[in-house]
Structures are given as C-alpha cells and as structure tokens.
Amino acid sequence: MGQHLNRCLDVPVALPPLRRRLLLLFIMLFLWLYMFYSCAGSCAGLATRGSPAPPRAAPPLPQLLPPGEAGEESSLEEQRAAPDAASPISSFFNGSGSKRLPQAIIIGVKKGGTRALLEFLRVHPDVRAVGAEPHFFDRNYERGLAWYRDLMPRTLEGQITMEKTPSYFVTKEAPARISSMSRGTKLIVVVRDPVTRAISDYTQTLSKKPDIPTFESLTFKNRTTGLIDTSWSAIQIGIYAKHLENWLLYFPIGQILFVSGERLISDPAGELGRVQDFLGLKRIITDKHFYFNKTKGFPCLKKAEGSSKPHCLGKTKGRTHPDIDQEVVQRLRDFYRPFNMKFYQMTGQDFGWD
C-alpha cells in the first residue's frame, strides 16, 4: 500500500524510511480533513434545504407600552443569524456549541442603561447574548419556547446565554412566564433616578414624534391640582417598588441583581464587577476596558466584542434632554419619594435619588 501511495502522490522514494512515513501520514491527514470539511458543508446545505419552513409570525400580544415607545434596536431577524454565521472549519476548531434557553435575563428598565450593560457584558468571553430584544415574554409568548431558543446564540459548556428586554419589568405576565421556563433564571434590573428616566423616555419619543405635547402637560392629569398621571408609561415605569412586588411573587430577592444606572456611568468597572460576581463569572471586565467619552458623557469600550476598535453606543444614546420646568421636576421628585424609599427597603440598597 505504501508503494502504491508513493506512485500516486509522487513521494520521493529516496527519502529515509522514517521521513517517508511521516510525509505519508501528513498527506493522509490532509486528505481526511479535506473530506471532513467537504462533507460538513454538504451536510449543512442538505439540512438547510430539507428543513421545514419557519413558522408564520403569530400576531403580537398586547403591549403594555404605547406604540412607538419601544427601545431603538436593530432588526431582530438580522441579528438572529449573525452570532451563528460560521464556516465548517471555524466551527470545527472553535466548537459550534448549542442553543440554550437563557440562564440570565436583563429584564429592565427602559432608558435605565440596559443597552450599555449588555454591550459591556458581551466583552466577557463566557457571555453570549442576543443583540436585539426578543420581547418573548411580553409580545411573542404564543410562539413557544422552541422559537425563543432558536433566537439564542450558540454557546459552549461553561458559557452563559443572555438576552435583554427592558419592558419585561413592567409586564404583569412576565414573572410567571419566566419562572415557568426556569425558576433558576438570574434576573438583572438596571434602575435610574425615575425623574431623569422619565425625561429620557420622553426625549426618545420626542425624537420620533416632534409634535407630541410637552412633558409638563403629559405629566399631570390636572396641573392645577398637581395630580400626576400615572397612566403615562414614562411615569408608570419609574414606580419600581410596585413592579418589583410582582416579581417577588415568583423569584426570591437574592435572585435579582439591581444595577445602578448612575454608577454604570460613573464607575462602569465597579458595577460590572458586581454583575460578573452575580453571574458566577471570573472578573475579566475591569477598568482597562473603558474610557470616558466627554462628548457623549458616558463610558465607552476600548475594544468591543469581536473587534479591536473602540466602541461607543450609537447616536440614539445620550441625547440632550429638553429643558423641563423645575417646578414640575420637583413635584415629580415629591411624587416618587415614598416609592423610592420603599424600593430601597425592598432591595437593601440606597440609590441616592433624593
């Protein structure tokens, strides 16, 4: 057989026996790898052609937030495929992993700093996360867990699968649904001064709908009496204690981590340290990963996930807030104060909003 291979592959017979055997071994290994990769590519193609068509989109469930107030995210369909786009060769060497339901979810809150936290966490090699917001537990629950799992990136043993959808925190059905998926799911809530959060929420809506009423007129049911309109989502979201009570019916307080949106800006490495500890991860993300962008007014990554270039959040983040009547701001602070005090007691943390 060795003589036959020598003739077919033109291996010089003058080589010493040991070197000739090593060369033959190398050639045979190369041929085996070539056939393996060819087969992998063909099999993947056949599997794709033979797979059933994706299910038709079910009508979305009723939204808690009014249309147009959802977070600004890139297309879910575009980001679904991105994490899993890999050649057979890279899959062979890196390990293709498998799609798992998330072990941790950033459940809120809108305009609190959830996008920044997710982008910072994705620097960690043991964290894999969906880029877009799946909105499974509030809008797409009827599609089923198999649909939800298919959105997740592939992970290897020891890696954590994550997603973030800030509207979960204020969705009444979300706690029971997540608990039904897994009672052990770790939950992260990014909170921010509710008055500043409400103004930021309004600023985002204003950028899309310049003709909406003023912040001051939306804040009150009756400005003369000073009655706050708690039906307006920008106000309602900031009543954190009320929403947390719903979550504590299904999850113990120790299974929920509360991240300060303010400290995420002033001390991102410190807050990320707490998050990594909570997730059971080695503290890899540290001060060396951040620099402060004076123009935007918040920290940016020196190197983003899968890139060697600096990365700041997009232009939709860090918008300049409109000037709000200070009397209205003070009335809102007075309104939120008792709810904030209760939230501090429930979480065991003083966020210093007063």
Side-chain angles (χ1 to χ4, degrees):
M1 180 179 176
Q3 292 177 354
H4 177 71
L5 280 173
N6 283 338
R7 287 196 301 272
C8 292
L9 300 170
D10 294 324
V11 178
V13 292
L15 289 174
L18 180 59
R19 291 183 63 184
R20 187 164 63 250
R21 287 175 188 168
L22 287 173
L23 182 58
L24 288 171
L25 233 111
F26 174 80
I27 293 171
M28 292 174 72
L29 179 62
F30 176 82
L31 291 172
W32 180 84
L33 286 172
Y34 176 80
M35 289 186 291
F36 175 82
Y37 296 141
S38 299
C39 176
S42 301
C43 293
L46 286 171
T48 303
R49 289 193 295 272
S51 61
R56 296 173 64 182
L61 298 179
Q63 300 178 20
L64 182 68
L65 302 180
E69 291 195 9
E72 298 175 352
E73 307 297 339
S74 54
S75 165
L76 179 62
E77 294 304 321
E78 288 177 4
Q79 297 202 30
R80 276 183 63 182
D84 298 325
S87 67
I89 294 179
S90 64
S91 296
F92 176 77
F93 286 108
N94 297 328
S96 59
S98 58
K99 295 192 176 190
R100 300 179 177 92
L101 292 169
Q103 296 92 41
I105 303 176
I106 300 174
I107 59 173
V109 300
K110 180 185 176 188
K111 307 309 294 181
T114 58
R115 171 56 56 186
L117 177 61
L118 186 71
E119 292 301 311
F120 295 164
L121 274 175
R122 291 174 76 174
V123 173
H124 200 293
D126 290 334
V127 172
R128 297 298 310 282
V130 182
E133 296 176 2
H135 283 281
F136 175 64
F137 295 104
D138 58 349
R139 301 179 192 170
N140 295 301
Y141 195 64
E142 289 183 349
R143 292 174 182 258
L145 284 173
W147 177 87
Y148 183 49
R149 181 190 287 111
D150 191 52
L151 298 180
M152 299 299 127
R154 294 184 181 276
T155 53
L156 303 175
E157 194 65 35
Q159 290 183 318
I160 291 178
T161 303
M162 290 188 68
E163 71 116 319
K164 78 106 177 170
T165 303
S167 54
Y168 290 163
F169 189 64
V170 296
T171 300
K172 186 177 180 181
E173 299 82 7
R177 290 171 175 177
I178 294 177
S179 177
S180 177
M181 175 188 73
S182 171
R183 292 183 180 179
T185 306
K186 293 185 176 182
L187 309 172
I188 300 175
V189 185
V190 188
V191 287
R192 181 185 184 187
D193 182 331
V195 178
T196 309
R197 197 222 66 80
I199 297 172
S200 180
D201 199 333
Y202 172 79
T203 303
Q204 176 175 297
T205 306
L206 184 65
S207 69
K208 299 175 181 178
K209 301 177 180 178
D211 57 342
I212 62 171
T214 64
F215 180 87
E216 290 85 351
S217 62
L218 291 169
T219 298
F220 300 101
K221 283 186 177 179
N222 186 321
R223 187 165 181 178
T224 304
T225 61
L227 184 62
I228 304 293
D229 187 358
T230 56
S231 66
W232 184 28
S233 67
I235 300 296
Q236 190 224 22
I237 291 172
I239 309 174
Y240 303 138
K242 177 183 176 183
H243 303 302
L244 181 57
E245 285 177 343
N246 189 31
W247 287 90
L248 294 181
L249 296 174
Y250 299 90
F251 293 93
I253 192 72
Q255 210 165 308
I256 309 174
L257 180 70
F258 300 91
V259 175
S260 165
E262 287 82 11
R263 287 196 294 269
L264 198 57
I265 294 174
S266 63
D267 181 20
E271 284 300 278
L272 264 293
R274 293 179 58 242
V275 176
Q276 290 171 95
D277 291 346
F278 175 71
L279 295 175
L281 298 169
K282 183 178 178 181
R283 284 200 178 196
I284 289 177
I285 306 171
T286 62
D287 281 321
K288 68 181 181 181
H289 289 90
F290 302 99
Y291 74 94
F292 191 81
N293 186 302
K294 293 181 180 179
T295 304
K296 284 186 168 289
F298 50 73
C300 300
L301 289 167
K302 290 182 179 177
K303 292 181 180 180
E305 179 196 31
S307 172
S308 60
K309 297 179 181 180
H311 172 66
C312 280
L313 297 181
K315 62 182 180 180
T316 62
K317 306 300 178 182
R319 294 186 184 94
T320 302
H321 291 178
D323 291 328
I324 306 298
D325 186 330
Q326 286 306 300
E327 181 188 349
V328 174
V329 172
Q330 188 55 51
R331 286 197 183 186
L332 275 176
R333 293 205 177 283
D334 294 340
F335 166 77
Y336 278 121
R337 187 170 293 110
F339 296 108
N340 290 345
M341 293 301 108
K342 185 176 181 181
F343 185 66
Y344 297 170
Q345 292 174 347
M346 295 171 76
T347 62
Q349 293 178 238
D350 185 339
F351 291 90
W353 294 326
D354 295 294

